[in-house]
Amino acid sequence: MNTYGHSLWFGVEVAGVTDAPGDAVTVALHAERLGFNVVSFPDRVAEGGFDAASLAAWAAARTSTIQLAVSRFRTLARPASVAARGAASLQLLSGDRGMLVLATLPAAEDLNAVEEAVAVVRAMQDTTRSRVNSPGTHHGLTGAEPGPALEQEVPVWLNGSNVAAAALAGRVADGWVVDLDEVGVEGLVKLNAVLDRAATEAGREVGEVRRVVTLSGEEVFDIDGLVALSVDHGVSTFLVRMTGAAGSVDLLRRISDDVVPAVHHAVEAELAPGALSSRRLRRADVRSRRRAAIGYDEVPESLAERAVEPGDPAFGKVRSTYLRGGNPGLVLRPRSASELADALGFARKHMQLPLGIRSGGHGISGRSTNDGGLVIDVGALNDIKVLDQAARLVRIGPGARWRDVATALQPHGWALSSGDYGGVGVGGLATAGGIGFLSRKHGLTIDHLRTVELVLADGTLVRASETENPELFWAVRGAGANFGVAVAFEFVVDEVDEVGWAQLAFQAPDPASYLEAFGRVVAETPRETTPFLILGQGTAQIMAMVDSSDPDVIVAQLQPFAEIAPLVQQQVAVAPYAAVMNMFPETPHHGRGEPVSRSAFTREITPGFASASADLIRSGASHWYQIRAVGGAVADVPSDATAYAHRDANFALAVMGGNAQRLDRWFEPVRWQSCGLYLSFESDRHPDRITDAFPPATLDRLRRLKAQLDPHNLFQDNFNIPPPTTPGVPHEPRH
Ligand SMILES: Cc1cc2nc3c(=O)[nH]c(=O)nc-3n(C[C@H](O)[C@H](O)[C@H](O)COP(=O)(O)OP(=O)(O)OC[C@H]3O[C@@H](n4cnc5c(N)ncnc54)[C@H](O)[C@@H]3O)c2cc1C
């Protein structure tokens, strides 16, 4: 009986590519259209011929679903590091359809070279290491840079019809390819047993190695033979050898009509239901990096394909956030509300583990990653769609970035007040507030929200608006992270023409007096202008947006700021809002360590606030002191209309440092002068920060709702609002 569990694949091996490479691609196209799974291009470099990786990359550009194997690849023909980069590039270019099949010859030297090459190819894909050192006679490497970072590892198969090749495949490969007419069924059975034994001795599961046979055009029509190979001997991939394009369409069509369905049908009838799985069985070395507390084999089928574990090549891309280094045990990446419900079901079975919810990965507290826990990343839910042109109603997924939102709205002459940085995700910001460059004129991001769809802790999908689940709608606008995972937001956006955009740099030897003067100017400035001030030791920088395209209005509203202190540099432009959001390109998230950030709101910049701030800046405990003007339209909304309650604050402060204790020593005096804080700029998770963020009446209301919607406190990792204790309902803090 088939014991290896792989789904059945049919493929084509295209020979004769040296003479007619175009034919090889033609065959690949036919094969793809007819539903074949793999096309294999034999390498001819060792004979002075064609480089199969280049050919496969060419085929990748013309095809879209079929897997592309670079096969019969002689490892002594070029350095393994070069082969590794070629295979990884093919993987990127093809959208994870690449595959490398190394040829093995019986000579010991060749087998050693193959084994070393496999190690190098794998190590070069592990971007969690900074350098690759691989000892070896043929493919030794010192200090090579790994990469490029991949989503899926390139499977490495070995081709070889002898005992040594089978044993090596058992020890190290993801697949083993054997020519059936060379070994016959009897030989296959013997070699299969060798492979199984070698795999077991190496501590692997025998199912880690896919069994592949190559067949001639005639052999493939022996349907009973193929069924027996699959059912009795675990062969799950049949590769038909083909010499060129001539006659290929007819032959492939006959195979796809007469052979493929018949074999599938017969094999499935023979085996127990579910015996053939499309789920990847990770190699033992990948599984060895798993965390004991996580039930990896119970990951729901809907999420398994895109789940990322610590040993996977994509882990380097998903482990950390923009600001925080992380090492989660599993990252689940749902693409729909129902997949998200599955992910939350899995998380409920792991209540003891940290749970990070991630949209854009820009959270300042960094809780969308963790150490050893789960992360649910809804970044794939990133659609932006106009629902109603006349009403300016736009539906946006949590994984969209504010730069993409601004870019999508610009052609309509619209903008949605968001923040100051285009890379920030919609999910985190639109569930907390959204203090941005248009806030004084247009309010917070949450003030534009009309409906939100969330998946709750129990997996239920709900809509919340003023009329549906209004209490949840109230809570999501300021404290959303505690109640569910948002999967879609519907906003009414504003008509915004081009805006005035200014960057002014000053000498500011006396930070306290500069701050006070800034506060006075802001108080006199019309709400079209929203300035953010970054204050340093001796310098100040204002970035301001004026919601007007009229140069006279822009200059008039900025002039008082320009007069606060000696200007050393200025730049003022009229530009689309989208251009400001696109100022900085997004870079991969490789945050390290713990972010240390503190937040405070203040109604005005009093002498006490200014002097405590000046002491903080001079102390050197903070490398980033930014104060933003809020007020205006933000304050038009009653403080009990949303969970974001500090509507009367005219300024929002964000301060970052390297050392929490040192920063707190200097920040405390600033906090005494303040009135609450904005959780999105905070990283201290002391319970006092919750009471700073939410006034008592707001917090009471939030806790009551939490008891209804998340009584077990699944969502507790980012500024937890603990539900009131209910007898019989455990909700212990995780850490
Ligand atoms: C460079 C930078 C600039 C910033 N500028 C601004 C600014 O101008 N204005 C402003 O208001 N904020 C700003 N912030 C703060 C930012 O808004 C918040 O940190 C926000 O949470 C980031 O959202 P995200 O989806 O990118 O983050 P993530 O790290 O993905 O998420 C942060 C947290 O939000 C929660 N969350 C994420 N997705 C969801 C979801 N779909 N449903 C429910 N909860 C979710 C989780 O608790 C998560 O821990 C800035 C942050 C950075 C790093």
Side-chain angles (χ1 to χ4, degrees), residues 357 359-364 368 419-420 425 428-429 434-435 481 484 486 628 678 718:
I357 304 297
S359 288
H362 272 260
I364 285 186
S368 58
D420 66 346
L429 183 139
I435 300 176
R628 305 171 168 215
Y678 178 44
N718 198 25

Side-chain angles (χ1 to χ4, degrees), residues 290-381:
R290 289 178 163 183
R291 303 287 188 132
I294 299 178
Y296 293 91
D297 296 330
E298 273 86 61
V299 170
E301 198 69 37
S302 62
L303 299 160
E305 188 61 29
R306 286 168 42 83
V308 186
E309 301 185 8
D312 291 340
F315 190 66
K317 289 196 284 185
V318 301
R319 65 187 297 178
S320 297
T321 62
Y322 183 71
L323 288 174
R324 184 169 183 236
N327 201 11
L330 181 65
V331 179
L332 298 174
R333 299 182 294 175
R335 290 161 300 189
S336 64
S338 83
E339 287 186 10
L340 173 59
D342 291 345
L344 291 174
F346 186 80
R348 285 195 304 275
K349 293 184 187 149
H350 294 80
M351 280 300 280
Q352 77 286 7
L353 293 180
L355 172 61
I357 304 297
R358 183 184 300 167
S359 288
H362 272 260
I364 285 186
S365 70
R367 298 299 132 182
S368 58
T369 191
N370 53 47
D371 184 6
L374 308 179
V375 169
I376 298 179
D377 182 335
V378 292
L381 298 171

